Amino acid sequence: MSQLYAVCEIQRAIQVKFKATSGSPMLLSMLNGHSTLTKHILYFFGLRWLHWNFPGVLLSLESQVKIFAPNIEQRDVVNHLKGSPTEEKRNVLVESARLARGNIQDLAELKASEFDAVIFPGGFGVAKNLCSWAVDGKNCTVNEHVNSTLQAFHSAKKPIGLCCISPVLAAKVFPGCEVTVGQDKNVDGRFPDAETASAIAELGCKHICKNVNESHVDKANKIVTTCAFMCKAPLHEIFDGIGTMVQEVLKLA
């Protein structure tokens, strides 16, 4: 029961691939709090780990993982039994430590010079805790440490991967970039948040329509995106899309 509760209380991640001193790649994952839409957190985390660590898929079993999270207060805390916010206050770093089993660091300590690439898996926590998109849409503000992390990797010409709702971070921070959140129309009811594509275009970026099992590579900016749970699709299709995104990021790293 406590493990299931922990999964429900945690939201999304930033993953980064890091070159360890031994020469084997080290992966970093940063979690960012919870929201009312947390049922897919275990999927995101599990699918990413499978693509990173399953032998013969993308990385060798010599790969390691480090986890970071911003040390900030969550925008809200949700009673998942009632499906509504409570008056309780929780910290994103503390809550994220549940999924990380305590092996986690403050995002403020992250040094881009030590890493090869960064990946933002997405989820509603991105829209509520990493930025204010859930409330302000295209007029949102981005958390200062998230902004500086994105800017640092971009300036160093290191690849940035984003999936689900997290491509809006790139759209906000890098005007003119290319990203995908799936389709710009609610095709067959599979893309209920298709209006996000229009908001991205209004920010001066180019939205590229892609299926859930695909990703898009903005070669000029080294930004790789996939829509993941922005599409109502079977889990194996979402898995495939995440896989292509991770694979393309690693190619650029």
Side-chain angles (χ1 to χ4, degrees), residues 7 57 100 142 150 171 185 233 240:
V7 167
V57 179
V142 178
L150 286 166
K185 294 180 176 59
D240 289 342

Side-chain angles (χ1 to χ4, degrees), residues 49-60 239 243 246-247 250:
W49 275 65
L50 278 173
H51 277 297
W52 280 341
N53 293 296
F54 195 82
V57 179
L58 294 178
L59 300 177
S60 73
F239 176 85
V246 172
Q247 205 165 26
L250 295 181

Side-chain angles (χ1 to χ4, degrees), residues 13-58:
I14 298 172
Q15 273 93 5
V16 182
K17 174 173 161 290
F18 169 63
K19 287 181 179 176
T21 54
S22 64
S24 61
M26 181 179 289
L27 306 178
L28 177 153
S29 171
M30 187 206 53
L31 308 175
N32 64 44
H34 88 135
S35 73
T36 56
L37 303 179
T38 55
K39 63 182 179 180
H40 300 308
I41 176 56
L42 184 57
Y43 297 156
F44 268 121
F45 202 71
L47 294 183
R48 200 64 83 275
W49 275 65
L50 278 173
H51 277 297
W52 280 341
N53 293 296
F54 195 82
V57 179
L58 294 178

Side-chain angles (χ1 to χ4, degrees), residues 219-240:
K219 294 182 179 179
N221 290 293
K222 288 193 172 183
I223 295 173
V224 186
T225 50
T226 189
C227 68
F229 286 99
M230 294 292 279
C231 176
K232 291 184 176 181
L235 191 59
H236 70 273
E237 293 183 10
I238 295 169
F239 176 85
D240 289 342

Side-chain angles (χ1 to χ4, degrees), residues 156-171:
K157 300 188 184 304
K158 296 181 178 181
I160 300 169
L162 309 102
C163 76
C164 196
I165 188 63
S166 65
V168 302
L169 295 173

